Amino acid sequence: MDNKTMARLLAETADLMEIDGADSFRVRSYRRAADAAEQTTVDLVEAANDAARLMEIDGIGKSMAAKLQAIVATGTLPQRDELLAKYGVGILELLKLPGMGPKTVTLLWDAAQIGTVDQLAGAIDAGRLKGLPRMGDKQIEKLRKGIEDYRRSVGRFRIDVAEEEAERIVAYLKKFKGIDKVTPAGSLRRGRETIGDLDLLATGPACAPEKTGAAVEYIAAYPGIHDIIVKGENKVSFHVAQGMQVDVRLLPSASYGAALQYFTGSKAHNVVLRQRALKMGYTLNEWALARLDDESIVAAATEEEIYSALKMDWMPPEMRENLGEIDAAADHKLPRVVALSDIRGDVHMHTAASDGRNSIGEMAEAAIACGYQYIAITDHSKFIGITNGLDEKRVLEQIKQVREVDSAIKGRIRIFTGIEVDILADGALALADEVLAQMDVVIASIHSRFDQSREEMTQRVMRAIENPNVRILGHPTGRLLLRREPFALDMGAILRRAAELGVAMEHNAAPERLDLNDHDLRLAKELGCKIVMSSDSHDSRNLGKMGYGARQLRRAWLTPEDVLNTRDAKGFLAGLRPRA
DNA sequence: GCCGTTTTCGGCCCGACTGTTTTCAGTCG
Ligand SMILES: Nc1nc2c(ncn2[C@H]2C[C@H](O)[C@@H](COP(=O)(O)OP(=O)(O)OP(=O)(O)O)O2)c(=O)[nH]1
Ligand SMILES: [Mg+2]
Ligand SMILES: [Mg+2]
Ligand SMILES: [Zn+2]
């Protein structure tokens, strides 16, 4: 049992309760608890014997704490089991169809004994839906298309992929006279590692009420469109050929701040912010913040004005996940989170000596162009499955080469020696200790045997960081976004020990990794671990591309002090694990 | 079911779009 599974059980229970006709606020509290289980840094299994500790988590009360304890003890939740026995598992998938909500699921179940997607598809083909309440021809066609879209849907997208798509669409939209500004919002603006859809805010005179007709037609004529989902006066939603959904929202320039605030979200942040507005005698929507009594507008043009009228500091979009930022902003206690521009060096990169493309000198020149003060050359160690990994002899040669280039470059940048040494299946390292001891930056990483059990993997990493030469744990979970799951690991135990030893955790900023993720970065900070953000470049052109990584650090509320490579070269080395 | 700068009871965000609704329900952002 783990937090993620517990979150899924609670979310499924919420879905089932809603289909079963439960009170909607009660359903909402289950959804809230599911989100809390997923986002909390408390290990729910560890905390299960302490109800008071569970109840400290926002959204977990007395009753939810007891349910969490039951899940840990038995592996299931009786409520969920009973409802599943009544409706069958297929009902959960049915609810996932676009356009399908709890009311329609209940109708189909009561009136036509439909409880799975396949049964629905069969009923549509057989014409069995005709005559059901609220089931006209258009509604039935909508459901048929819903099944088609669901079966074709590809899920979420990596943020770099989403951003590229967004840039194409933004460029098209901006060409329309009267659309002044197109601002990406939603999870893309918040910097989430994956993006469910693109949310684009269009503002300008052509987006003002009663005047949107031409702009809407122009948007709907975007050449990349596969199909249009909805098209109204104030918004257009469509799929592009690659399957990504795009929501374009049109609002007048005077509402820009309220609109951007709304469309940036997150949903949970919006709901709490709107509740705060109500308590203060205001109402907040995407058009404006207005007084409840005479409906006069208090703020609308900028986000700063909205937050300020709510007696809060403005905060970066990355922090808007309802994880304490509303209270912090109201108390004027928001931390100054780290920015990409704070980064002064990059200490994980490969050269042509192993599987990179460039020489040491080329990497150094590229780093100078990025404005960095130092880099470390960290090629792979010799290991099965690694192209061209360095053995002890080649490592020693490379140390010499690095020192030569470093002195030839005459202080324009500092080049540290280093290695990305493999952690073998038993936790030993792939290079001899005497050699590792001669290098500045020793990153230990796992590139093999991802299938080990949680206990084996935890022991393996523990043994590796106990080696006094290891100064950074590289891409600690090994995940590849949307391709390979993180390996099973007791992250809390690793981070606690790493903090004691002074081993820094890497945030690998390659967009397919972003490892550690935002959640584990928050946990690392809580447990006192230092972080190093690195590009893991295999090509000099990728140096400096750590923007998505910086967004993850900000999502974890990390400040420059938490990130070692915001320091100068001397400070960076001093922040690493002390050498014996 | 959760929660408290009026509350331990009585609230719980707010608007756009679609369909068959003759006055609004359902779904989604
Ligand atoms: N007030 C309010 N705003 C919402 C609600 N649902 C969505 N929003 C706002 C905040 C969201 O960030 C924004 C875009 O909605 P999306 O469904 O696209 O969510 P988001 O982009 O955050 O995540 P995603 O990666 O697309 O799954 O719209 C809601 O129920 N109430
Ligand atoms: Mg979105
Ligand atoms: Mg959206
Ligand atoms: Zn690696």
Side-chain angles (χ1 to χ4, degrees):
Chain A
M1 189 51 61
D2 56 20
N3 287 16
K4 202 174 154 197
T5 307
M6 294 170 85
R8 183 176 54 78
L9 294 179
L10 288 170
E12 286 176 0
T13 306
D15 285 351
L16 292 162
M17 287 169 65
E18 198 169 28
I19 291 166
D20 204 47
D23 173 72
S24 65
F25 297 111
R26 199 143 159 256
V27 171
R28 204 160 84 178
S29 73
Y30 278 75
R31 297 229 161 88
R32 172 116 192 269
D35 289 345
E38 189 151 313
Q39 295 182 314
T40 183
T41 51
V42 175
D43 185 326
L44 296 173
V45 177
E46 271 177 28
N49 52 12
D50 185 355
R53 177 117 183 274
L54 294 175
M55 287 172 64
E56 278 171 21
I57 303 168
D58 281 342
I60 308 292
K62 200 171 174 182
S63 159
M64 274 307 163
K67 286 177 207 305
L68 293 175
Q69 290 176 316
I71 295 176
V72 172
T74 67
T76 72
L77 190 60
Q79 263 165 302
R80 172 176 169 277
D81 294 344
E82 281 161 30
L83 290 165
L84 273 183
K86 180 170 174 185
Y87 294 103
V89 269
I91 207 97
L92 290 170
E93 191 185 23
L94 196 57
L95 187 63
K96 289 202 180 85
L97 295 178
M100 179 77 69
K103 294 288 196 280
T104 309
V105 170
T106 306
L107 170 72
L108 292 172
W109 175 263
D110 287 344
Q113 293 76 51
I114 291 168
T116 70
V117 173
D118 283 344
Q119 285 168 1
L120 175 61
I124 292 172
D125 288 345
R128 284 209 292 133
L129 259 42
K130 283 195 213 307
L132 261 50
R134 296 198 315 271
M135 282 294 160
D137 288 349
K138 283 186 179 172
Q139 190 64 35
I140 292 171
E141 172 55 22
K142 217 168 137 179
L143 291 179
R144 201 197 54 72
K145 188 174 175 294
I147 296 174
E148 206 178 284
D149 287 353
Y150 173 72
R151 289 187 170 150
R152 200 184 37 235
S153 75
V154 280
R156 302 183 65 87
F157 294 84
R158 260 169 39 185
I159 186 170
D160 56 323
V161 175
E163 189 155 83
E164 234 177 73
E165 185 68 50
E167 278 164 14
R168 279 194 286 275
I169 301 168
V170 168
Y172 171 82
L173 297 181
K174 273 193 179 158
K175 277 191 256 170
F176 190 78
K177 194 165 175 297
I179 298 182
D180 291 346
K181 236 185 316 203
V182 182
T183 315
S187 50
L188 180 60
R189 182 162 183 247
R190 300 200 312 282
R192 277 193 65 179
E193 61 191 31
T194 62
I195 303 302
D197 66 2
L198 291 180
D199 302 293
L200 303 176
L201 172 63
T203 47
C207 305
E210 322 277 316
K211 293 180 180 148
T212 60
V216 163
E217 289 313 317
Y218 177 77
I219 295 165
Y222 175 60
I225 289 182
H226 178 273
D227 63 318
I228 291 182
I229 305 162
V230 297
K231 187 176 106 179
E233 283 177 39
N234 299 300
K235 68 182 277 187
V236 181
S237 291
F238 56 86
H239 288 115
V240 295
Q242 295 78 7
M244 202 179 298
Q245 181 175 327
V246 183
D247 296 330
V248 184
R249 185 67 206 264
L250 296 84
L251 279 152
S253 300
S255 292
Y256 181 73
L260 187 57
Q261 192 292 311
Y262 151 71
F263 216 23
T264 298
S266 64
K267 176 184 170 180
H269 175 92
N270 286 357
V271 169
V272 177
L273 200 67
R274 287 170 181 211
Q275 283 168 338
R276 180 178 173 88
L278 284 173
K279 279 197 203 126
M280 295 175 66
Y282 301 133
T283 175
L284 175 62
N285 59 34
E286 68 269 42
W287 298 84
L289 178 73
R291 290 173 60 116
L292 274 175
D293 48 15
D294 61 2
E295 294 175 15
S296 66
I297 289 176
V298 177
T302 67
E303 282 192 341
E304 284 83 352
E305 289 168 53
I306 303 271
Y307 283 108
S308 165
L310 293 170
K311 304 217 173 306
M312 296 166 67
D313 294 333
W314 181 90
M315 76 205 72
E318 292 90 339
M319 302 179 81
R320 303 183 195 173
E321 298 287 353
N322 191 31
L323 291 173
E325 74 280 6
I326 307 242
D327 285 343
D331 295 342
H332 308 292
K333 283 183 179 148
L334 286 167
R336 203 288 262 174
V337 291
V338 65
L340 183 59
S341 55
D342 293 317
I343 298 296
R344 303 216 185 144
D346 186 355
V347 296
H348 184 163
M349 67 189 66
H350 300 267
T351 71
S354 67
D355 60 350
R357 281 190 73 249
N358 301 94
S359 67
I360 298 167
E362 285 164 353
M363 296 308 273
E365 290 297 337
I368 290 167
C370 292
Y372 290 153
Q373 300 174 8
Y374 53 94
I375 57 171
I377 302 297
T378 57
D379 274 308
H380 287 287
S381 61
K382 184 177 167 68
F383 183 64
I384 318 164
I386 298 271
T387 322
N388 240 350
L390 277 60
D391 59 13
E392 277 87 357
K393 181 160 167 281
R394 290 185 62 212
V395 168
L396 294 173
E397 282 166 18
Q398 192 183 52
I399 290 175
K400 272 174 61 186
Q401 287 170 20
V402 167
R403 294 203 173 122
E404 280 165 22
V405 178
D406 182 50
S407 71
I409 217 152
K410 297 198 189 313
R412 290 165 61 223
I413 192 165
R414 217 157 135 206
I415 313 175
F416 298 133
T417 60
I419 191 80
E420 182 182 12
V421 62
D422 262 273
I423 301 174
L424 306 179
D426 63 355
L429 302 181
L431 289 171
D433 287 344
E434 312 83 80
V435 173
L436 294 175
Q438 297 181 43
M439 281 177 292
D440 300 313
V441 177
V442 175
I443 305 168
S445 307
I446 286 179
H447 298 108
S448 64
R449 289 299 308 275
F450 303 116
D451 59 337
Q452 288 179 334
S453 71
R454 182 177 148 106
E455 290 69 30
E456 283 174 308
M457 195 58 96
T458 304
Q459 276 317 303
R460 179 182 182 184
V461 175
M462 284 288 197
R463 185 176 166 201
I465 62 176
E466 291 295 337
N467 184 312
N469 294 304
V470 172
R471 306 185 96 179
I472 299 172
L473 183 64
H475 44 70
T477 77
R479 68 144 177 204
L480 295 176
L481 278 164
L482 310 173
R483 289 224 320 266
R484 186 169 78 205
E485 287 294 305
F487 38 72
L489 201 62
D490 185 346
M491 185 56 74
I494 300 289
L495 293 173
R496 269 187 285 271
R497 186 65 186 139
E500 286 170 8
L501 293 168
V503 172
M505 288 295 122
E506 177 175 85
H507 174 72
N508 189 302
E512 69 273 21
R513 291 192 184 271
L514 300 177
D515 182 10
L516 291 179
N517 69 13
D518 49 7
H519 173 276
D520 288 346
L521 287 167
R522 256 195 300 141
L523 180 59
K525 178 177 168 121
E526 277 177 25
L527 296 176
C529 258
K530 291 297 177 200
I531 304 298
V532 174
M533 177 162 77
S534 303
S535 73
D536 196 1
S537 294
H538 289 68
D539 185 319
S540 61
R541 288 169 297 191
N542 286 341
L543 277 175
K545 290 192 185 166
M546 295 205 275
Y548 302 118
R551 316 280 304 269
Q552 308 314 306
L553 305 185
R554 292 156 69 78
R555 290 176 59 80
W557 294 37
L558 300 196
T559 64
E561 293 70 47
D562 299 318
V563 182
L564 290 179
N565 56 323
T566 60
R567 307 181 183 177
D568 62 16
K570 199 169 151 229
F572 169 75
L573 281 185
L576 289 179
R577 180 189 208 164
R579 270 284 152 77

